[in-house]
Amino acid sequence: MNEPKTKPPLELWGGVECTRNRVGDVYFDQVARGGHADRPGDLDRIAALGVRALRYPFLWEWSEAAGGSFDWAWADARLPRLRELGVRPIAGLVHHGSGPPRTGLLDPDFAEGLARFAGRLAERFPWLDAYTPVNEPLTTARFSALYGHWYPHARDGLSFARALLHQCKAVVLAMRAVRAVRPDARLVQTEDLGKTYGTPTLRYQVEFDNERRWLSFDLLCGRVGRGHPMADFFLGLGVPER
């Protein structure tokens, strides 16, 4: 008889809420407003809870200065401490943000810029083996380019599609840059998959929303082509098929 395989034990994972979004020319920093920025001892408290992996911010907005130089003070202080505590960091690079002031979600070079930053972080900390390059791309595209709440404050379908595509491309290129340094690095992708409900009269909107909620994963997995429920949506907006 074959012996049953031993399953790995369950692990407690955690995360530090770390939105840094832009409204107009003002950045709102959740890490600073929540006090964590000034409490490095929080890491010890998190480890004491039994957390073994922690989504943790090493945000592009914080780190890249004008002229393309990088400030590594935050990462240099926090990453070694997490390693000492035996907590595996999952590096978050963009969290409901749009990058440094020189770029944005509608910038065709957004993806290449994030990939450059990701590669530099990986070179500095080659032991890092898990990344979330862009947190919740669909949600960020909705709030930034469809609802207009966050920068660049667009309110149209084509801007939404472009913002989502640029972020998904950024995930791909960032992981490619990371894996050039650390081939076994893992992508830990996140998304808000909230389901929509409604009355029979609004069935058309409910069905659309519930297809759209999977878009970031479908794009990253290469599933959006002819025959995909959202293909006509993209093509109808004027997004080239390629």
Side-chain angles (χ1 to χ4, degrees), residues 71-95:
D71 180 355
W72 299 113
W74 174 269
D76 285 344
R78 303 291 177 123
L79 269 171
R81 183 56 185 155
L82 286 170
R83 198 178 191 187
E84 290 169 2
L85 291 167
V87 177
R88 178 191 186 192
I90 303 168
L93 309 185
V94 174
H95 197 106

Side-chain angles (χ1 to χ4, degrees), residues 211-233:
E211 289 290 353
R212 186 183 65 182
R213 69 190 181 124
W214 298 102
L215 256 179
S216 54
F217 288 112
D218 284 353
L219 286 165
L220 289 170
C221 294
R223 293 175 177 168
V224 182
R226 292 284 184 179
H228 187 278
M230 297 298 295
D232 288 342
F233 168 74

Side-chain angles (χ1 to χ4, degrees), residues 91-112:
L93 309 185
V94 174
H95 197 106
H96 293 322
S98 52
R102 64 172 177 79
T103 189
L105 300 183
L106 301 183
D107 179 1
D109 296 325
F110 176 85
E112 286 76 7

Side-chain angles (χ1 to χ4, degrees), residues 122-134:
E123 289 169 358
R124 194 170 184 89
F125 301 98
W127 55 269
L128 264 178
D129 66 352
Y131 288 79
T132 302
V134 180

Side-chain angles (χ1 to χ4, degrees), residues 59-229:
L59 301 183
W60 188 20
E61 286 95 335
W62 291 345
S63 305
E64 184 167 345
S69 60
F70 293 96
D71 180 355
W72 299 113
W74 174 269
D76 285 344
R78 303 291 177 123
L79 269 171
R81 183 56 185 155
L82 286 170
R83 198 178 191 187
E84 290 169 2
L85 291 167
V87 177
R88 178 191 186 192
I90 303 168
L93 309 185
V94 174
H95 197 106
H96 293 322
S98 52
R102 64 172 177 79
T103 189
L105 300 183
L106 301 183
D107 179 1
D109 296 325
F110 176 85
E112 286 76 7
L114 182 61
R116 177 172 172 264
F117 169 64
R120 292 289 297 274
L121 182 66
E123 289 169 358
R124 194 170 184 89
F125 301 98
W127 55 269
L128 264 178
D129 66 352
Y131 288 79
T132 302
V134 180
N135 171 71
E136 298 182 357
L138 180 69
T139 299
T140 304
R142 285 167 42 221
F143 277 77
S144 299
L146 188 61
Y147 309 153
H149 298 317
W150 302 338
Y151 183 84
H153 306 292
R155 292 183 175 89
D156 63 275
L158 180 57
S159 294
F160 161 77
R162 289 173 59 199
L164 178 60
L165 289 165
H166 290 169
Q167 289 178 95
C168 289
K169 182 180 178 182
V171 172
V172 172
L173 296 188
M175 289 308 300
R176 187 176 296 168
V178 166
R179 287 171 176 160
V181 178
R182 177 84 192 218
D184 64 342
R186 291 186 176 186
L187 167 64
V188 180
Q189 187 57 55
T190 56
E191 191 54 88
D192 171 10
L193 294 176
K195 190 171 183 178
T196 299
Y197 298 87
T199 63
T201 304
L202 291 173
R203 181 179 176 181
Y204 70 96
Q205 189 65 50
V206 170
E207 291 177 349
F208 176 83
D209 288 357
N210 287 332
E211 289 290 353
R212 186 183 65 182
R213 69 190 181 124
W214 298 102
L215 256 179
S216 54
F217 288 112
D218 284 353
L219 286 165
L220 289 170
C221 294
R223 293 175 177 168
V224 182
R226 292 284 184 179
H228 187 278

